[in-house]
Structures are given as C-alpha cells and as structure tokens.
Amino acid sequence: MGSSNQANLAFLLLEAISKYYPIGLPFYRDRYIGYSKLEQIVEEKINTLIDGHSGPKDWNLFKHAIHNDFPQFELLDLSYYQEPSLKMALKFYSSSNNRIYQDSYINISVSLMSSYFTVFITESFTSEADYRYTVNEAPLVNNYGKKSFGPFHRENISELEHTWTSKIIKDITYYYPNYSFVDYRFLQKSITGVIPFGTGLDTVLEPIKFSFYDILFGDNIF
C-alpha cells in the first residue's frame, strides 16, 4: 500500500472513530453523545446473545458458512466479548514437544462501529512444568503448572494459509457487502487521544496511545 493510500485509509479510520469518540479529549469520552451510541451497540449485541441467539442474523449465516467451508477446524465463536465487534477464531493446528504446546488460529474480526473487518493468523504457546514434592513424608506427588505465552501475530503465512484466509475474506464480503478488509498490520498503528470502550478512564496513564485495532474491534485476540 502506497503512502497516499495509507494516509487515506488512516483518515477513513479516524473518521469512523470520531463518530463515537471525542478524539483528543479522551477523558470527555463518557459524556460524548457518540460514546453513548457505542455503548448501546455493544449492549444490543450482548442482549441478543442473552436472549438465546448466537449473534446477529448475518453473523450466524457467515458462521454457518465458515463451519461448512472448514469442518476440519475447531470454530470458536467469541461474540460474547464485550467489545464493539464480532469475532471468531479457527484453530487449525496444534502440536507439542517436550511439554511445550503450540496452537495456531485464524482470527476473524468484524467491527460494529465501522464498515471494516480483518483476518489474521496468531500463534499461542503453553509450557508445562513438572514440580515434584512430598507432603508429610508421603510418596512423591506430581503437580503440573502451566504458563501461557501469546498470542503472537504471525505475518509470514504459507500458500495454503493464504488460500484459507482469502476464502474467509470472500465469505465476509458476501455476508457484509458494505465492509472492507483492512490488514491487521496496519491496524496496529497507534493513535493518541482515544481511550477504547471498556477501558476505565482512571486506569490509563499518559501518553494515551492505543491501536486502531484496540479502538475499532477491542483488544482481545485468540
């Protein structure tokens, strides 16, 4: 993407954010009329789930299509996150070696406060330590402690993974025809003067910098 295209995309993303946040006045957020609309968007999403639905109609149709396209993968619907987005993850690879476990996911995020979505791959790792100890001189007891690392965004993808993500992008644009794909790497660019939904105003220290992804989709990835 050329510099002029990047600047234009940044402007469009900032324009979308400005509808819900007072950019440059982060501590005025909760009194901003746009932010109250954003709270309503998230509340309606959560209420839909509480009422026994698995998400908005288009999301359910898309999720069904993804399940049919990739029946060999484990599908995790992450719609329940209290964020201004709909998310799911496809677990497509797992391995272990010497008590280190690796899981690979295709993350899918559709913003509810803008007409943008992203698809990207992450890796997560878990290490398992074996601690041996005695209790009152009883025989040795094994206790396993686990520690997680990640998720980490993986930029380099195989030809097969590219085929998968391209198919997912095509499916999203079918069910969300007015939406546009944005590369996750671009969404990692930070902006100042905005405190994302769900982040306490009293928990943020200067300088206030969050990524486009954190603001438009929420900070959770799988």
Side-chain angles (χ1 to χ4, degrees), residues 103-200:
D103 296 311
S104 301
Y105 299 89
I106 301 174
N107 281 254
I108 304 166
S109 300
V110 178
S111 176
L112 293 176
M113 56 177 285
S114 68
S115 56
Y116 296 100
F117 70 90
T118 191
V119 179
F120 56 97
I121 289 178
T122 57
E123 308 278 3
S124 294
F125 301 89
T126 303
S127 65
E128 187 177 64
D130 181 8
Y131 302 98
R132 297 174 184 272
Y133 59 92
T134 60
V135 179
N136 296 328
E137 299 183 356
L140 288 175
V141 176
N142 290 339
N143 181 44
Y144 295 97
K146 292 186 177 181
K147 187 173 182 62
S148 298
F149 304 89
F152 302 99
H153 173 227
R154 175 155 61 81
E155 294 189 18
N156 298 321
I157 64 175
S158 68
E159 184 175 343
L160 180 58
E161 291 167 344
H162 177 73
T163 300
W164 293 338
T165 56
S166 296
K167 178 67 173 78
I168 292 169
I169 291 172
K170 184 178 179 181
D171 284 346
I172 295 176
T173 54
Y174 177 81
Y175 289 101
Y176 295 88
N178 297 321
Y179 273 63
S180 300
F181 170 78
V182 181
D183 194 306
Y184 180 75
R185 292 171 295 183
F186 188 87
L187 292 169
Q188 288 307 291
K189 295 182 182 297
S190 296
I191 66 173
T192 59
V194 176
I195 299 177
F197 178 88
T199 302

Side-chain angles (χ1 to χ4, degrees), residues 1-15 116 186 189 212:
M1 184 186 297
S3 58
S4 60
N5 290 335
Q6 286 192 12
N8 184 58
L9 177 57
F11 174 80
L12 293 174
L13 295 179
L14 287 169
E15 186 177 45
Y116 296 100
F186 188 87
K189 295 182 182 297
F212 279 122

